[in-house]
PDB file of all heavy atoms in Angstrom:
ATOM      1  N   TYR A   1     118.348  97.783 103.934  1.00  0.00           N
ATOM      2  CA  TYR A   1     117.189  97.307 103.183  1.00  0.00           C
ATOM      3  C   TYR A   1     116.659  98.584 102.435  1.00  0.00           C
ATOM      4  O   TYR A   1     116.172  99.449 103.131  1.00  0.00           O
ATOM      5  CB  TYR A   1     116.146  96.623 103.829  1.00  0.00           C
ATOM      6  CG  TYR A   1     115.120  96.012 102.906  1.00  0.00           C
ATOM      7  CD1 TYR A   1     115.219  94.798 102.426  1.00  0.00           C
ATOM      8  CD2 TYR A   1     113.929  96.743 102.641  1.00  0.00           C
ATOM      9  CE1 TYR A   1     114.241  94.210 101.432  1.00  0.00           C
ATOM     10  CE2 TYR A   1     112.924  96.279 101.754  1.00  0.00           C
ATOM     11  CZ  TYR A   1     113.161  94.981 101.259  1.00  0.00           C
ATOM     12  OH  TYR A   1     112.123  94.348 100.351  1.00  0.00           O
ATOM     13  N   HIS A   2     116.768  98.666 101.154  1.00  0.00           N
ATOM     14  CA  HIS A   2     116.198  99.741 100.383  1.00  0.00           C
ATOM     15  C   HIS A   2     114.872  99.418  99.850  1.00  0.00           C
ATOM     16  O   HIS A   2     114.728  98.443  99.008  1.00  0.00           O
ATOM     17  CB  HIS A   2     117.218 100.137  99.272  1.00  0.00           C
ATOM     18  CG  HIS A   2     116.674 101.196  98.326  1.00  0.00           C
ATOM     19  ND1 HIS A   2     116.896 101.275  96.951  1.00  0.00           N
ATOM     20  CD2 HIS A   2     115.940 102.292  98.609  1.00  0.00           C
ATOM     21  CE1 HIS A   2     116.404 102.306  96.421  1.00  0.00           C
ATOM     22  NE2 HIS A   2     115.653 102.992  97.430  1.00  0.00           N
ATOM     23  N   LEU A   3     113.864 100.171 100.192  1.00  0.00           N
ATOM     24  CA  LEU A   3     112.440  99.791  99.739  1.00  0.00           C
ATOM     25  C   LEU A   3     112.045 100.981  98.711  1.00  0.00           C
ATOM     26  O   LEU A   3     112.026 102.141  98.977  1.00  0.00           O
ATOM     27  CB  LEU A   3     111.522  99.972 100.874  1.00  0.00           C
ATOM     28  CG  LEU A   3     110.009  99.715 100.519  1.00  0.00           C
ATOM     29  CD1 LEU A   3     109.887  98.388  99.709  1.00  0.00           C
ATOM     30  CD2 LEU A   3     109.150  99.689 101.814  1.00  0.00           C
ATOM     31  N   THR A   4     111.988 100.567  97.492  1.00  0.00           N
ATOM     32  CA  THR A   4     111.662 101.518  96.424  1.00  0.00           C
ATOM     33  C   THR A   4     110.149 101.802  96.269  1.00  0.00           C
ATOM     34  O   THR A   4     109.376 100.823  96.452  1.00  0.00           O
ATOM     35  CB  THR A   4     112.215 100.916  95.076  1.00  0.00           C
ATOM     36  OG1 THR A   4     111.494  99.766  94.594  1.00  0.00           O
ATOM     37  CG2 THR A   4     113.685 100.589  95.151  1.00  0.00           C
ATOM     38  N   PRO A   5     109.766 102.931  95.739  1.00  0.00           N
ATOM     39  CA  PRO A   5     108.369 103.161  95.412  1.00  0.00           C
ATOM     40  C   PRO A   5     107.780 102.306  94.430  1.00  0.00           C
ATOM     41  O   PRO A   5     106.558 102.032  94.400  1.00  0.00           O
ATOM     42  CB  PRO A   5     108.404 104.686  95.026  1.00  0.00           C
ATOM     43  CG  PRO A   5     109.544 105.207  95.667  1.00  0.00           C
ATOM     44  CD  PRO A   5     110.623 104.154  95.528  1.00  0.00           C
ATOM     45  N   SER A   6     108.664 101.799  93.473  1.00  0.00           N
ATOM     46  CA  SER A   6     108.137 100.825  92.516  1.00  0.00           C
ATOM     47  C   SER A   6     107.982  99.388  92.929  1.00  0.00           C
ATOM     48  O   SER A   6     107.467  98.582  92.143  1.00  0.00           O
ATOM     49  CB  SER A   6     109.131 100.873  91.300  1.00  0.00           C
ATOM     50  OG  SER A   6     110.342 100.475  91.705  1.00  0.00           O
ATOM     51  N   ASN A   7     108.359  99.079  94.114  1.00  0.00           N
ATOM     52  CA  ASN A   7     108.173  97.756  94.640  1.00  0.00           C
ATOM     53  C   ASN A   7     106.631  97.334  94.681  1.00  0.00           C
ATOM     54  O   ASN A   7     105.850  98.064  95.199  1.00  0.00           O
ATOM     55  CB  ASN A   7     108.737  97.716  96.073  1.00  0.00           C
ATOM     56  CG  ASN A   7     108.884  96.195  96.556  1.00  0.00           C
ATOM     57  OD1 ASN A   7     107.919  95.379  96.599  1.00  0.00           O
ATOM     58  ND2 ASN A   7     110.122  95.777  96.834  1.00  0.00           N
ATOM     59  N   THR A   8     106.407  96.197  94.065  1.00  0.00           N
ATOM     60  CA  THR A   8     104.991  95.729  94.051  1.00  0.00           C
ATOM     61  C   THR A   8     104.332  95.693  95.456  1.00  0.00           C
ATOM     62  O   THR A   8     103.261  95.789  95.596  1.00  0.00           O
ATOM     63  CB  THR A   8     104.910  94.324  93.304  1.00  0.00           C
ATOM     64  OG1 THR A   8     105.435  94.390  92.085  1.00  0.00           O
ATOM     65  CG2 THR A   8     103.516  93.770  93.339  1.00  0.00           C
ATOM     66  N   TYR A   9     105.143  95.283  96.365  1.00  0.00           N
ATOM     67  CA  TYR A   9     104.576  95.137  97.728  1.00  0.00           C
ATOM     68  C   TYR A   9     105.084  96.163  98.650  1.00  0.00           C
ATOM     69  O   TYR A   9     105.268  96.058  99.857  1.00  0.00           O
ATOM     70  CB  TYR A   9     105.131  93.739  98.246  1.00  0.00           C
ATOM     71  CG  TYR A   9     104.626  92.640  97.471  1.00  0.00           C
ATOM     72  CD1 TYR A   9     105.495  91.969  96.563  1.00  0.00           C
ATOM     73  CD2 TYR A   9     103.375  92.194  97.572  1.00  0.00           C
ATOM     74  CE1 TYR A   9     105.041  90.892  95.824  1.00  0.00           C
ATOM     75  CE2 TYR A   9     102.838  91.188  96.796  1.00  0.00           C
ATOM     76  CZ  TYR A   9     103.768  90.480  96.014  1.00  0.00           C
ATOM     77  OH  TYR A   9     103.200  89.437  95.228  1.00  0.00           O
ATOM     78  N   LEU A  10     105.130  97.471  98.090  1.00  0.00           N
ATOM     79  CA  LEU A  10     105.535  98.596  98.997  1.00  0.00           C
ATOM     80  C   LEU A  10     104.613  98.725 100.107  1.00  0.00           C
ATOM     81  O   LEU A  10     105.159  98.859 101.302  1.00  0.00           O
ATOM     82  CB  LEU A  10     105.460  99.940  98.119  1.00  0.00           C
ATOM     83  CG  LEU A  10     105.626 101.185  98.987  1.00  0.00           C
ATOM     84  CD1 LEU A  10     107.140 101.375  99.366  1.00  0.00           C
ATOM     85  CD2 LEU A  10     105.172 102.449  98.081  1.00  0.00           C
ATOM     86  N   ASN A  11     103.282  98.672  99.960  1.00  0.00           N
ATOM     87  CA  ASN A  11     102.313  98.831 101.116  1.00  0.00           C
ATOM     88  C   ASN A  11     102.523  97.790 102.165  1.00  0.00           C
ATOM     89  O   ASN A  11     102.255  98.154 103.379  1.00  0.00           O
ATOM     90  CB  ASN A  11     100.929  98.981 100.623  1.00  0.00           C
ATOM     91  CG  ASN A  11     100.643 100.113  99.658  1.00  0.00           C
ATOM     92  OD1 ASN A  11     101.371 101.090  99.767  1.00  0.00           O
ATOM     93  ND2 ASN A  11      99.617 100.180  98.974  1.00  0.00           N
ATOM     94  N   GLU A  12     102.830  96.659 101.804  1.00  0.00           N
ATOM     95  CA  GLU A  12     102.971  95.545 102.727  1.00  0.00           C
ATOM     96  C   GLU A  12     104.324  95.528 103.486  1.00  0.00           C
ATOM     97  O   GLU A  12     104.494  95.104 104.621  1.00  0.00           O
ATOM     98  CB  GLU A  12     102.777  94.181 102.049  1.00  0.00           C
ATOM     99  CG  GLU A  12     101.417  93.945 101.551  1.00  0.00           C
ATOM    100  CD  GLU A  12     101.093  94.646 100.225  1.00  0.00           C
ATOM    101  OE1 GLU A  12     102.011  94.991  99.513  1.00  0.00           O
ATOM    102  OE2 GLU A  12      99.879  94.865  99.938  1.00  0.00           O
ATOM    103  N   LEU A  13     105.404  96.143 102.809  1.00  0.00           N
ATOM    104  CA  LEU A  13     106.737  96.070 103.362  1.00  0.00           C
ATOM    105  C   LEU A  13     106.981  97.232 104.236  1.00  0.00           C
ATOM    106  O   LEU A  13     107.696  97.182 105.323  1.00  0.00           O
ATOM    107  CB  LEU A  13     107.746  96.124 102.217  1.00  0.00           C
ATOM    108  CG  LEU A  13     107.934  94.735 101.474  1.00  0.00           C
ATOM    109  CD1 LEU A  13     108.675  95.001 100.199  1.00  0.00           C
ATOM    110  CD2 LEU A  13     108.762  93.736 102.378  1.00  0.00           C
ATOM    111  N   MET A  14     106.481  98.451 103.846  1.00  0.00           N
ATOM    112  CA  MET A  14     106.774  99.570 104.699  1.00  0.00           C
ATOM    113  C   MET A  14     106.072  99.581 106.039  1.00  0.00           C
ATOM    114  O   MET A  14     105.063  99.023 106.215  1.00  0.00           O
ATOM    115  CB  MET A  14     106.333 100.822 103.958  1.00  0.00           C
ATOM    116  CG  MET A  14     104.804 101.001 103.787  1.00  0.00           C
ATOM    117  SD  MET A  14     104.283 102.602 103.097  1.00  0.00           S
ATOM    118  CE  MET A  14     104.491 103.639 104.502  1.00  0.00           C
ATOM    119  N   PRO A  15     106.656 100.286 107.000  1.00  0.00           N
ATOM    120  CA  PRO A  15     106.046 100.284 108.345  1.00  0.00           C
ATOM    121  C   PRO A  15     104.896 101.353 108.422  1.00  0.00           C
ATOM    122  O   PRO A  15     105.000 102.343 107.651  1.00  0.00           O
ATOM    123  CB  PRO A  15     107.169 100.727 109.253  1.00  0.00           C
ATOM    124  CG  PRO A  15     108.105 101.553 108.403  1.00  0.00           C
ATOM    125  CD  PRO A  15     107.901 100.982 106.976  1.00  0.00           C
ATOM    126  N   GLY A  16     103.963 101.188 109.175  1.00  0.00           N
ATOM    127  CA  GLY A  16     102.875 102.181 109.471  1.00  0.00           C
ATOM    128  C   GLY A  16     102.039 102.447 108.293  1.00  0.00           C
ATOM    129  O   GLY A  16     101.461 101.555 107.691  1.00  0.00           O
ATOM    130  N   SER A  17     102.043 103.687 107.757  1.00  0.00           N
ATOM    131  CA  SER A  17     101.289 104.012 106.505  1.00  0.00           C
ATOM    132  C   SER A  17     102.011 105.311 106.056  1.00  0.00           C
ATOM    133  O   SER A  17     103.114 105.653 106.424  1.00  0.00           O
ATOM    134  CB  SER A  17      99.807 104.276 106.894  1.00  0.00           C
ATOM    135  OG  SER A  17      99.747 105.474 107.822  1.00  0.00           O
ATOM    136  N   PHE A  18     101.326 106.126 105.166  1.00  0.00           N
ATOM    137  CA  PHE A  18     101.814 107.432 104.750  1.00  0.00           C
ATOM    138  C   PHE A  18     101.364 108.574 105.557  1.00  0.00           C
ATOM    139  O   PHE A  18     101.306 109.634 105.085  1.00  0.00           O
ATOM    140  CB  PHE A  18     101.625 107.501 103.260  1.00  0.00           C
ATOM    141  CG  PHE A  18     102.459 106.630 102.421  1.00  0.00           C
ATOM    142  CD1 PHE A  18     101.974 105.584 101.816  1.00  0.00           C
ATOM    143  CD2 PHE A  18     103.777 107.094 102.211  1.00  0.00           C
ATOM    144  CE1 PHE A  18     102.790 104.757 101.184  1.00  0.00           C
ATOM    145  CE2 PHE A  18     104.678 106.176 101.407  1.00  0.00           C
ATOM    146  CZ  PHE A  18     104.167 105.075 100.914  1.00  0.00           C
ATOM    147  N   LEU A  19     100.864 108.287 106.749  1.00  0.00           N
ATOM    148  CA  LEU A  19     100.447 109.277 107.723  1.00  0.00           C
ATOM    149  C   LEU A  19     101.603 109.748 108.580  1.00  0.00           C
ATOM    150  O   LEU A  19     102.456 108.988 108.963  1.00  0.00           O
ATOM    151  CB  LEU A  19      99.396 108.742 108.649  1.00  0.00           C
ATOM    152  CG  LEU A  19      98.920 109.706 109.774  1.00  0.00           C
ATOM    153  CD1 LEU A  19      98.229 111.016 109.210  1.00  0.00           C
ATOM    154  CD2 LEU A  19      97.966 108.931 110.686  1.00  0.00           C
ATOM    155  N   ALA A  20     101.868 110.996 108.673  1.00  0.00           N
ATOM    156  CA  ALA A  20     103.055 111.588 109.206  1.00  0.00           C
ATOM    157  C   ALA A  20     102.734 112.828 110.053  1.00  0.00           C
ATOM    158  O   ALA A  20     101.525 113.499 109.937  1.00  0.00           O
ATOM    159  CB  ALA A  20     104.194 111.964 108.277  1.00  0.00           C
ATOM    160  N   THR A  21     103.680 113.206 110.905  1.00  0.00           N
ATOM    161  CA  THR A  21     103.514 114.520 111.708  1.00  0.00           C
ATOM    162  C   THR A  21     104.820 115.330 111.305  1.00  0.00           C
ATOM    163  O   THR A  21     105.923 114.862 111.347  1.00  0.00           O
ATOM    164  CB  THR A  21     103.568 114.320 113.222  1.00  0.00           C
ATOM    165  OG1 THR A  21     102.367 113.458 113.440  1.00  0.00           O
ATOM    166  CG2 THR A  21     103.445 115.608 113.961  1.00  0.00           C
ATOM    167  N   ASN A  22     104.630 116.574 110.742  1.00  0.00           N
ATOM    168  CA  ASN A  22     105.681 117.415 110.347  1.00  0.00           C
ATOM    169  C   ASN A  22     106.314 118.053 111.539  1.00  0.00           C
ATOM    170  O   ASN A  22     105.871 117.922 112.732  1.00  0.00           O
ATOM    171  CB  ASN A  22     105.364 118.228 109.094  1.00  0.00           C
ATOM    172  CG  ASN A  22     104.362 119.405 109.570  1.00  0.00           C
ATOM    173  OD1 ASN A  22     104.062 119.582 110.727  1.00  0.00           O
ATOM    174  ND2 ASN A  22     103.840 120.087 108.620  1.00  0.00           N
ATOM    175  N   ALA A  23     107.348 118.957 111.275  1.00  0.00           N
ATOM    176  CA  ALA A  23     108.068 119.516 112.295  1.00  0.00           C
ATOM    177  C   ALA A  23     107.190 120.516 113.084  1.00  0.00           C
ATOM    178  O   ALA A  23     107.589 120.873 114.246  1.00  0.00           O
ATOM    179  CB  ALA A  23     109.314 120.255 111.668  1.00  0.00           C
ATOM    180  N   THR A  24     106.076 121.037 112.532  1.00  0.00           N
ATOM    181  CA  THR A  24     105.261 121.903 113.213  1.00  0.00           C
ATOM    182  C   THR A  24     104.150 121.188 113.963  1.00  0.00           C
ATOM    183  O   THR A  24     103.162 121.844 114.593  1.00  0.00           O
ATOM    184  CB  THR A  24     104.789 123.085 112.301  1.00  0.00           C
ATOM    185  OG1 THR A  24     103.926 122.419 111.286  1.00  0.00           O
ATOM    186  CG2 THR A  24     105.889 123.864 111.676  1.00  0.00           C
ATOM    187  N   GLY A  25     104.075 119.827 113.923  1.00  0.00           N
ATOM    188  CA  GLY A  25     103.022 119.142 114.601  1.00  0.00           C
ATOM    189  C   GLY A  25     101.766 118.927 113.790  1.00  0.00           C
ATOM    190  O   GLY A  25     100.860 118.393 114.337  1.00  0.00           O
ATOM    191  N   ASN A  26     101.846 119.244 112.494  1.00  0.00           N
ATOM    192  CA  ASN A  26     100.575 119.129 111.701  1.00  0.00           C
ATOM    193  C   ASN A  26     100.617 117.676 110.989  1.00  0.00           C
ATOM    194  O   ASN A  26     101.720 117.249 110.541  1.00  0.00           O
ATOM    195  CB  ASN A  26     100.563 120.161 110.500  1.00  0.00           C
ATOM    196  CG  ASN A  26     100.308 121.474 111.163  1.00  0.00           C
ATOM    197  OD1 ASN A  26      99.411 121.706 111.926  1.00  0.00           O
ATOM    198  ND2 ASN A  26     101.134 122.509 110.682  1.00  0.00           N
ATOM    199  N   ALA A  27      99.332 117.077 111.088  1.00  0.00           N
ATOM    200  CA  ALA A  27      99.292 115.762 110.296  1.00  0.00           C
ATOM    201  C   ALA A  27      99.437 115.980 108.832  1.00  0.00           C
ATOM    202  O   ALA A  27      98.933 116.831 108.216  1.00  0.00           O
ATOM    203  CB  ALA A  27      97.937 115.158 110.685  1.00  0.00           C
ATOM    204  N   ARG A  28     100.137 115.054 108.232  1.00  0.00           N
ATOM    205  CA  ARG A  28     100.497 115.106 106.772  1.00  0.00           C
ATOM    206  C   ARG A  28     100.253 113.775 106.079  1.00  0.00           C
ATOM    207  O   ARG A  28     100.558 112.748 106.676  1.00  0.00           O
ATOM    208  CB  ARG A  28     101.800 115.664 106.528  1.00  0.00           C
ATOM    209  CG  ARG A  28     102.095 117.063 106.855  1.00  0.00           C
ATOM    210  CD  ARG A  28     101.273 117.900 105.878  1.00  0.00           C
ATOM    211  NE  ARG A  28     101.426 119.393 106.064  1.00  0.00           N
ATOM    212  CZ  ARG A  28     100.693 120.126 106.684  1.00  0.00           C
ATOM    213  NH1 ARG A  28      99.486 119.665 107.278  1.00  0.00           N
ATOM    214  NH2 ARG A  28     100.838 121.427 106.717  1.00  0.00           N
ATOM    215  N   ALA A  29      99.827 113.808 104.806  1.00  0.00           N
ATOM    216  CA  ALA A  29      99.929 112.640 103.973  1.00  0.00           C
ATOM    217  C   ALA A  29     101.290 112.843 103.138  1.00  0.00           C
ATOM    218  O   ALA A  29     101.639 113.987 102.837  1.00  0.00           O
ATOM    219  CB  ALA A  29      98.666 112.552 103.059  1.00  0.00           C
ATOM    220  N   MET A  30     101.890 111.672 102.822  1.00  0.00           N
ATOM    221  CA  MET A  30     103.157 111.825 102.121  1.00  0.00           C
ATOM    222  C   MET A  30     103.169 111.041 100.743  1.00  0.00           C
ATOM    223  O   MET A  30     102.362 110.144 100.535  1.00  0.00           O
ATOM    224  CB  MET A  30     104.286 111.287 102.982  1.00  0.00           C
ATOM    225  CG  MET A  30     104.268 111.880 104.379  1.00  0.00           C
ATOM    226  SD  MET A  30     105.804 111.318 105.281  1.00  0.00           S
ATOM    227  CE  MET A  30     105.604 109.619 105.362  1.00  0.00           C
ATOM    228  N   GLU A  31     104.054 111.449 100.005  1.00  0.00           N
ATOM    229  CA  GLU A  31     104.461 110.570  98.804  1.00  0.00           C
ATOM    230  C   GLU A  31     105.938 110.281  98.806  1.00  0.00           C
ATOM    231  O   GLU A  31     106.719 111.254  98.934  1.00  0.00           O
ATOM    232  CB  GLU A  31     104.167 111.394  97.485  1.00  0.00           C
ATOM    233  CG  GLU A  31     104.535 110.784  96.258  1.00  0.00           C
ATOM    234  CD  GLU A  31     104.221 111.624  94.983  1.00  0.00           C
ATOM    235  OE1 GLU A  31     103.164 112.330  95.004  1.00  0.00           O
ATOM    236  OE2 GLU A  31     104.802 111.429  93.902  1.00  0.00           O
ATOM    237  N   THR A  32     106.274 109.071  98.729  1.00  0.00           N
ATOM    238  CA  THR A  32     107.673 108.593  98.945  1.00  0.00           C
ATOM    239  C   THR A  32     108.506 108.557  97.730  1.00  0.00           C
ATOM    240  O   THR A  32     107.982 108.296  96.735  1.00  0.00           O
ATOM    241  CB  THR A  32     107.658 107.232  99.698  1.00  0.00           C
ATOM    242  OG1 THR A  32     109.084 106.921  99.989  1.00  0.00           O
ATOM    243  CG2 THR A  32     107.159 106.098  98.722  1.00  0.00           C
ATOM    244  N   PHE A  33     109.748 109.016  97.884  1.00  0.00           N
ATOM    245  CA  PHE A  33     110.773 108.823  96.841  1.00  0.00           C
ATOM    246  C   PHE A  33     111.843 107.787  97.305  1.00  0.00           C
ATOM    247  O   PHE A  33     112.994 107.765  96.718  1.00  0.00           O
ATOM    248  CB  PHE A  33     111.416 110.155  96.534  1.00  0.00           C
ATOM    249  CG  PHE A  33     110.545 111.042  95.764  1.00  0.00           C
ATOM    250  CD1 PHE A  33     109.376 111.710  96.265  1.00  0.00           C
ATOM    251  CD2 PHE A  33     110.757 111.288  94.342  1.00  0.00           C
ATOM    252  CE1 PHE A  33     108.577 112.527  95.570  1.00  0.00           C
ATOM    253  CE2 PHE A  33     109.864 112.118  93.591  1.00  0.00           C
ATOM    254  CZ  PHE A  33     108.768 112.704  94.222  1.00  0.00           C
ATOM    255  N   GLY A  34     111.481 106.914  98.202  1.00  0.00           N
ATOM    256  CA  GLY A  34     112.441 105.896  98.606  1.00  0.00           C
ATOM    257  C   GLY A  34     112.526 105.870 100.154  1.00  0.00           C
ATOM    258  O   GLY A  34     112.578 106.813 100.839  1.00  0.00           O
ATOM    259  N   MET A  35     112.673 104.602 100.626  1.00  0.00           N
ATOM    260  CA  MET A  35     112.865 104.330 102.067  1.00  0.00           C
ATOM    261  C   MET A  35     114.144 103.535 102.343  1.00  0.00           C
ATOM    262  O   MET A  35     114.521 102.687 101.393  1.00  0.00           O
ATOM    263  CB  MET A  35     111.566 103.562 102.649  1.00  0.00           C
ATOM    264  CG  MET A  35     110.411 104.344 102.448  1.00  0.00           C
ATOM    265  SD  MET A  35     108.892 103.458 103.265  1.00  0.00           S
ATOM    266  CE  MET A  35     107.529 104.255 102.452  1.00  0.00           C
ATOM    267  N   LEU A  36     114.590 103.670 103.615  1.00  0.00           N
ATOM    268  CA  LEU A  36     115.801 102.857 103.965  1.00  0.00           C
ATOM    269  C   LEU A  36     115.725 102.351 105.314  1.00  0.00           C
ATOM    270  O   LEU A  36     115.399 103.216 106.144  1.00  0.00           O
ATOM    271  CB  LEU A  36     117.176 103.742 103.743  1.00  0.00           C
ATOM    272  CG  LEU A  36     118.447 103.191 104.168  1.00  0.00           C
ATOM    273  CD1 LEU A  36     118.833 101.950 103.390  1.00  0.00           C
ATOM    274  CD2 LEU A  36     119.587 104.194 104.108  1.00  0.00           C
ATOM    275  N   HIS A  37     115.947 101.009 105.535  1.00  0.00           N
ATOM    276  CA  HIS A  37     116.022 100.525 106.893  1.00  0.00           C
ATOM    277  C   HIS A  37     117.388 100.215 107.104  1.00  0.00           C
ATOM    278  O   HIS A  37     118.066  99.542 106.392  1.00  0.00           O
ATOM    279  CB  HIS A  37     115.205  99.321 107.020  1.00  0.00           C
ATOM    280  CG  HIS A  37     115.115  98.779 108.517  1.00  0.00           C
ATOM    281  ND1 HIS A  37     115.899  97.799 108.878  1.00  0.00           N
ATOM    282  CD2 HIS A  37     114.405  99.125 109.487  1.00  0.00           C
ATOM    283  CE1 HIS A  37     115.797  97.596 110.189  1.00  0.00           C
ATOM    284  NE2 HIS A  37     114.801  98.365 110.581  1.00  0.00           N
ATOM    285  N   VAL A  38     117.972 100.503 108.301  1.00  0.00           N
ATOM    286  CA  VAL A  38     119.302 100.108 108.702  1.00  0.00           C
ATOM    287  C   VAL A  38     119.273  99.677 110.148  1.00  0.00           C
ATOM    288  O   VAL A  38     118.618 100.248 111.013  1.00  0.00           O
ATOM    289  CB  VAL A  38     120.259 101.434 108.687  1.00  0.00           C
ATOM    290  CG1 VAL A  38     121.687 101.058 109.150  1.00  0.00           C
ATOM    291  CG2 VAL A  38     120.265 102.105 107.326  1.00  0.00           C
ATOM    292  N   GLN A  39     119.830  98.504 110.418  1.00  0.00           N
ATOM    293  CA  GLN A  39     119.915  97.771 111.630  1.00  0.00           C
ATOM    294  C   GLN A  39     121.357  97.574 111.970  1.00  0.00           C
ATOM    295  O   GLN A  39     122.160  97.076 111.145  1.00  0.00           O
ATOM    296  CB  GLN A  39     119.163  96.568 111.648  1.00  0.00           C
ATOM    297  CG  GLN A  39     119.107  95.900 113.004  1.00  0.00           C
ATOM    298  CD  GLN A  39     117.972  94.800 113.123  1.00  0.00           C
ATOM    299  OE1 GLN A  39     116.864  95.029 112.663  1.00  0.00           O
ATOM    300  NE2 GLN A  39     118.313  93.661 113.746  1.00  0.00           N
TER     301      GLN A  39
END
């Protein structure tokens, strides 16, 4: 399942939020260029 940033329901389809923890443990806000779910 490819979730595009232009999807009208991006916020409802994506998991969590745009809150993240980077490799150094710092909290970050993100801007997406595309998401992919694989099962």
Side-chain angles (χ1 to χ4, degrees):
Y1 188 87
H2 175 214
L3 181 54
T4 65
S6 58
N7 191 302
T8 301
Y9 298 103
L10 172 72
N11 291 346
E12 292 79 21
L13 285 163
M14 65 171 285
S17 67
F18 287 104
L19 176 63
T21 301
N22 68 11
T24 60
N26 291 313
R28 289 292 184 262
M30 305 190 301
E31 178 179 333
T32 185
F33 283 75
M35 303 183 196
L36 175 64
H37 183 270
V38 180
Q39 184 164 319

